[in-house]
């Protein structure tokens, strides 16, 4: 992996440090995935996702279209794609697409592992704020370039 694979704030004329943050995120994901059991990695990334969810409070939202719009606004502000949300009889299903890709080769798939954990934590937190009970769970899986998350039994 070469440093030049990451965005440079100097070449883009901004001081956001996006290239350094991307490098930090990738290296953190790799370190966590390589240094801990899968369940521990999942719990760590889910906890970060729950923290992220607190940045978009959804208390009081009772309409699926409003919920979808609010969640989409949050992810779009981050450049993390958009969602489609379906409320079914046995689960709420979210299809999350256009997520950021790993910027370099990721042999261990730690980037996708991190994203899946973050999303599971964020959606689980949002659904719990909206009144989800302890019998319901959020589970996700990659389907090509899309993450499908199901919140239900």
């Amino acid at each position: 992996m070469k440093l030049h694979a990451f965005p440079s704030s100097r070449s883009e004329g901004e001081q956001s440090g996006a290239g350094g943050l991307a490098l930090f995120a990738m290296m953190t994901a790799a370190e966590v995935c390589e240094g801990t059991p899968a369940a521990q990695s999942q719990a760590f990334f889910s906890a970060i996702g729950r923290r992220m969810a607190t940045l978009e409070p959804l208390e009081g939202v009772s309409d699926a279209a409003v919920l979808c719009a609010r969640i989409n606004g949050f992810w779009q502000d981050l450049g993390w794609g958009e969602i489609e949300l379906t409320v079914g009889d046995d689960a709420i299903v979210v299809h999350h697409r256009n997520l950021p890709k790993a910027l370099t080769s990721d042999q261990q798939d730690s980037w996708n592992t991190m994203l899946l954990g973050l999303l599971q934590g964020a959606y689980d937190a949002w659904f719990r704020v909206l009144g989800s009970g302890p019998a319901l769970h959020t589970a996700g899986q990659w389907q090509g370039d899309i993450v499908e998350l199901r919140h239900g039994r």
Side-chain angles (χ1 to χ4, degrees), residues 140-151:
Q141 64 181 359
W142 282 95
Q143 296 182 342
D145 289 345
I146 296 171
V147 172
E148 180 183 86
L149 299 118
R150 300 180 63 80
H151 182 76

Side-chain angles (χ1 to χ4, degrees), residues 11-84:
S11 65
E12 296 172 6
E14 62 178 72
Q15 296 301 314
S16 70
L21 290 174
L23 175 62
F24 176 75
M26 287 193 66
M27 296 300 109
T28 300
E31 188 64 27
V32 169
C33 288
E34 291 172 18
T36 61
Q40 191 174 359
S41 297
Q42 172 68 24
F44 176 74
F45 295 132
S46 290
I48 294 170
R50 285 189 298 278
R51 285 181 180 263
M52 290 174 71
T54 65
L55 300 174
E56 182 60 43
L58 297 177
E59 291 88 351
V61 174
S62 60
D63 179 79
V66 172
L67 177 63
C68 189
R70 294 274 299 276
I71 291 172
N72 268 326
F74 178 76
W75 295 127
Q76 288 167 351
D77 285 348
L78 294 176
W80 279 34
E82 62 276 337
I83 69 160
E84 292 177 11

